[in-house]
Amino acid sequence: MSEEITFKDLGLSPEVMEALDKMGVTRPTTVQQKAIPLMMDNMSVIAKAPTGTGKTFAFGIPIIEYLNLNSKYVQALILSPTRELALQITAELKGLGKYIEGFKVAPLIGGQSMRIQEEKLAKNPQIIVATPGRLLDMVSRRLCDISQIYTLVLDEADEMLKMGFIKDIKRIIALTPEDRQTALFSATMPREIQDITWEFMTGAAEIDVMPKAEDHPNIDQYIVSCPEKDKLCAVTKIMKKENLHKVIVFCNTKNEASRVCEKLSRQGLKAEALHGDIGQGARNRVMDDYRSSKFDVLVATDVVARGIDVDDVEGIFNYNIPKENELYLHRIGRTARAGKSGKAFSLVAYLDRQRMDEIIRYTKVDPKPYEMDSGEA
Ligand code: ADP
Ligand code: MG
């Protein structure tokens, strides 16, 4: 096996090193170790890596290191499936470029007024983070020029596929220079995504990062053995015992999420549900409120939780054990972000045991049994 690569080995600028240091980011994750040297070498990359393993910095760092701050052109375009994610990527890149004078990144997303976005573009950002529909709209109105970009990133390509953006993406690719660097990131590689890589990314380097426990180093994981009917009680008890305030409770279905949220609210907790049946506007509001800690317990399904990044989540509960092994890592990756530590509790009833054992075997995680106080009922 090759040696672990450090940020120092990657030859980054002092400004970026300082930004990473201030964010408490010390050790590059696997996808960062693999993608950063390739992208710094102007290679195109196709990277398959689980959610929560640091893909934003994997493409963000090389892009930022190569910006020409004197040019008025947009040099990098990052496409993202959702507005939330676009805003989140923008924020992470702003953090990375904090010490670089003249560095500008702007989001172009649906739901924001054209005028505000025109104003942002007038400031000549070097990087644009956009949802595909809005970007095409701006380009066709000649408000945005992507003909000179150097790097194109397709982030969460599988999500963009699910949301029906493939045609838009192909149109966008056609508007960019042929000799661009393309970086495609995806948690899965369905056929349609492979088609895109064959059509537009010949010669790209491929990176395949298996879900690994060490990419989630600061999470204490526990198994809480309890009957299905006691799961709710277990959540409230553990929150109290561990002094957890901001937590996410994961459920496998929308119905279960609504139910659990309702029951937790009745127990006096400030809880809100987030799942696929909730409209975009309401979702944004819930996420904003959660980020600003207006409530404590987010009850979510996997669909909406992907890519969502809230910095100070203290604990994760697997109320239901996820149906897919990788989802376990996606879920627990919602805590212990940006160098902080976190805890993850899997509530395992009799019928969940087999599933949990499979997850442990496949992901090589090592959750410890959790001892609940026996005293009070
Ligand atoms: P992905 O895109 O793979 O889902 P993100 O890029 O959103 O993952 O990163 C998840 C979180 O991990 C973010 O909060 C980010 O700041 C943090 N992070 C990224 N790289 C590192 C690292 N090398 N060390 C510690 N935290 C990191
Ligand atoms: Mg991401």
Side-chain angles (χ1 to χ4, degrees):
M1 277 306 292
S2 57
E3 297 241 323
E4 184 171 301
I5 298 168
T6 65
F7 280 119
K8 213 166 169 208
D9 297 329
L10 295 169
L12 308 183
S13 62
E15 289 86 353
V16 169
M17 286 300 275
E18 187 177 356
L20 289 171
D21 189 52
K22 288 273 152 61
M23 291 189 267
V25 171
T26 51
R27 177 191 158 269
T29 62
T30 310
V31 70
Q32 291 163 3
Q33 290 182 42
K34 292 188 174 178
I36 294 172
L38 290 167
M39 286 186 70
M40 298 273 263
D41 226 5
N42 195 25
M43 289 283 288
S44 288
V45 299
I46 301 163
K48 177 171 176 254
T51 306
T53 58
K55 293 191 280 296
T56 314
F57 290 168
F59 59 78
I61 291 174
I63 287 174
I64 288 182
E65 292 290 1
Y66 272 95
L67 286 180
N68 176 358
L69 297 164
N70 298 317
S71 162
K72 290 210 178 311
Y73 285 109
V74 177
Q75 294 158 54
L77 170 64
I78 297 157
L79 293 178
S80 141
T82 64
R83 301 168 198 181
E84 284 111 326
L85 200 61
L87 292 174
Q88 198 175 293
I89 294 168
T90 307
E92 293 244 341
L93 296 184
K94 273 190 183 151
L96 270 183
K98 195 170 157 190
Y99 301 105
I100 301 171
E101 196 149 323
F103 170 70
K104 275 168 278 171
V105 49
L108 283 190
I109 53 174
Q112 246 185 20
S113 92
M114 285 279 184
R115 198 179 47 79
I116 290 181
Q117 301 199 325
E118 268 186 76
E119 278 167 17
K120 281 190 185 147
L121 287 172
K123 291 184 185 147
N124 299 317
Q126 297 99 6
I127 306 177
I128 283 179
V129 188
T131 47
R134 176 53 66 104
L135 181 88
L136 275 176
D137 208 11
M138 301 291 281
V139 172
S140 67
R141 294 178 195 213
R142 298 188 185 280
L143 295 172
C144 178
D145 178 8
I146 55 169
S147 67
Q148 306 293 321
I149 66 163
Y150 187 80
T151 304
L152 171 69
V153 177
L154 308 173
D155 194 24
E156 305 235 7
D158 50 353
E159 285 299 302
M160 292 204 278
L161 169 77
K162 274 189 208 156
M163 297 180 66
F165 285 137
I166 286 294
K167 264 201 189 134
D168 285 352
I169 290 170
K170 289 185 177 176
R171 282 177 58 202
I172 292 169
I173 293 176
L175 294 166
T176 62
E178 233 171 280
D179 64 352
R180 73 184 176 265
Q181 173 183 50
T182 313
L184 181 145
F185 290 84
S186 203
T188 59
M189 282 291 163
R191 176 64 205 268
E192 293 90 334
I193 299 296
Q194 286 176 31
D195 286 348
I196 290 221
T197 66
W198 287 328
E199 195 174 343
F200 300 102
M201 299 181 68
T202 42
E206 290 186 36
I207 298 170
D208 191 350
V209 178
M210 299 306 284
K212 261 197 230 113
E214 68 249 38
D215 281 327
H216 301 289
N218 310 320
I219 307 171
D220 292 329
Q221 300 167 52
Y222 300 98
I223 286 188
V224 184
S225 296
C226 75
E228 192 66 42
K229 68 173 176 44
D230 293 346
K231 284 186 172 180
L232 205 76
C233 201
V235 172
T236 53
K237 261 190 183 169
I238 293 170
M239 281 182 71
K240 210 174 200 179
K241 187 169 168 211
E242 300 290 329
N243 197 22
L244 302 174
H245 302 284
K246 206 162 177 174
V247 303
I248 304 178
V249 177
F250 278 105
C251 296
N252 286 359
T253 65
K254 300 171 199 171
N255 282 338
E256 181 94 320
S258 305
R259 251 197 324 264
V260 168
C261 179
E262 211 171 285
K263 287 186 190 157
L264 287 171
S265 305
R266 256 186 263 141
Q267 303 232 345
L269 288 169
K270 281 198 245 170
E272 296 248 22
L274 199 67
H275 54 68
D277 274 356
I278 295 171
Q280 186 68 51
R283 259 195 232 177
N284 289 347
R285 183 194 56 77
V286 171
M287 276 318 300
D288 285 347
D289 286 356
Y290 189 57
R291 256 186 222 109
S292 54
S293 300
K294 290 201 180 120
F295 65 94
D296 306 315
V297 184
L298 182 68
V299 187
T301 59
D302 296 289
V303 187
V304 286
R306 266 197 63 148
I308 293 298
D309 182 9
V310 178
D311 264 344
D312 49 357
V313 177
E314 298 163 330
I316 300 295
F317 288 92
N318 287 317
Y319 193 93
N320 303 125
I321 304 307
K323 290 231 155 57
E324 288 168 38
N325 297 331
E326 290 194 5
L327 285 178
Y328 177 84
L329 291 172
H330 294 169
R331 288 180 179 188
I332 69 166
R334 304 299 99 199
T335 186
R337 305 178 83 78
K340 297 195 181 82
S341 60
K343 291 178 177 170
F345 304 88
S346 296
L347 308 183
V348 177
Y350 179 72
L351 288 175
D352 299 322
R353 280 189 201 164
Q354 199 184 347
R355 195 74 271 288
M356 194 67 221
D357 287 344
E358 273 169 34
I359 288 171
I360 290 172
R361 240 178 298 133
Y362 175 82
T363 60
K364 307 211 166 51
V365 294
D366 184 21
K368 307 273 178 293
Y370 187 78
E371 302 298 337
M372 203 117 57
D373 262 339
S374 43
E376 67 219 276

